[in-house]
Amino acid sequence: MTSTRIPPKELTGLYGAMVKMFASRTFGRVPKSLGVMWHHLPVLKASMGFGQKLQKWDQCDESLKSYAHMVVASLVGCSFCLDFNYFMAHNQGLDVAKAREIPRWRESPVFTSLEREVLEYAEAVSQTPPTVTDEMVASLRAQLGAAALIELTTVIGFANLTTRSNTALGIESEGFAASCGLKPMAQPSARLGEASAS
């Protein structure tokens, strides 16, 4: 990991001790990103709190939400979120073979048609301006239901908040996935990258 654009602070006090204990138990160490966000505790607490609430929602399949978050991270270029969500997919017992393929989802044969629609929708929501169509929403609503689609959309919005914030602050991958022996993330072919750049 290169240095962040704002240097991490030491996590101090009772709350800092609790955060360090939770992080060490969950990740095996305290991520540098927590030290960066420690400069503004209300922001850190709000982000962590909303992230925890998101994890309790159950109207949309966990795999779909995880893959959607990862495709946003891949699109935005947030190596931290991509690595972190790959690691979390492993910890949550999701299909890591699919999670690994997110950066090349358009060319990978592992995804179902519904998963492809979700990934396309996540990218469309994340464009500026968004490129979501009535047809995309109608198809996903028919397959998932209104509540699940609202949940999915909110998770995608939160993914944009975290990925764009991390990228702007220079917060990069900390190697969580590698530390538990996961294969490196798949990479899009050069041909696909050239096509999207033109």
Side-chain angles (χ1 to χ4, degrees):
M1 176 177 172
T2 59
S3 59
T4 55
R5 291 182 173 133
I6 296 176
K9 283 180 71 174
E10 182 183 349
L11 279 60
T12 57
L14 179 60
Y15 183 65
M18 290 169 49
V19 169
K20 287 192 278 191
M21 184 177 70
F22 172 79
S24 296
R25 198 169 52 224
T26 306
F27 313 121
R29 64 181 180 281
V30 179
K32 288 182 185 177
S33 58
L34 288 174
V36 173
M37 299 309 292
W38 202 256
H39 286 276
H40 198 307
L41 280 178
V43 171
L44 174 64
K45 288 178 180 180
S47 181
M48 287 175 55
F50 192 62
Q52 289 171 344
K53 287 180 182 178
L54 284 174
Q55 292 174 2
K56 294 178 182 176
W57 297 344
D58 62 0
Q59 296 299 301
C60 185
D61 179 80
E62 199 59 44
S63 293
L64 295 178
K65 292 186 290 186
S66 180
Y67 302 157
H69 193 131
M70 290 180 75
V71 86
V72 172
S74 184
L75 178 71
V76 171
C78 179
S79 63
F80 179 90
C81 288
L82 199 55
D83 172 51
F84 176 77
N85 281 282
Y86 185 29
F87 168 80
M88 290 304 291
H90 168 73
N91 282 1
Q92 295 168 350
L94 304 180
D95 188 336
V96 292
K98 285 186 177 182
R100 180 180 180 276
E101 290 289 307
I102 291 293
R104 47 175 257 124
W105 72 269
R106 290 185 187 278
E107 58 188 301
S108 176
V110 301
F111 298 102
T112 67
S113 60
L114 174 58
E115 289 165 346
R116 288 181 182 285
E117 284 189 52
V118 166
L119 297 176
E120 183 178 25
Y121 178 70
E123 285 191 352
V125 171
S126 305
Q127 300 297 325
T128 304
T131 56
V132 175
T133 65
D134 291 344
E135 293 77 17
M136 284 179 182
V137 173
S139 178
L140 287 173
R141 183 179 173 203
Q143 295 176 81
L144 301 175
L149 181 54
I150 290 168
E151 184 173 311
L152 175 66
T153 304
T154 304
V155 167
I156 293 166
F158 183 71
N160 271 275
L161 168 68
T162 58
T163 59
R164 292 176 189 279
S165 297
N166 288 341
T167 303
L169 295 172
I171 295 170
E172 297 180 353
S173 169
E174 295 195 32
F176 296 121
S179 70
C180 58
L182 292 173
K183 293 179 182 177
M185 296 292 297
Q187 297 298 312
S189 70
R191 187 185 83 255
L192 184 68
E194 291 164 10
S196 61
S198 56

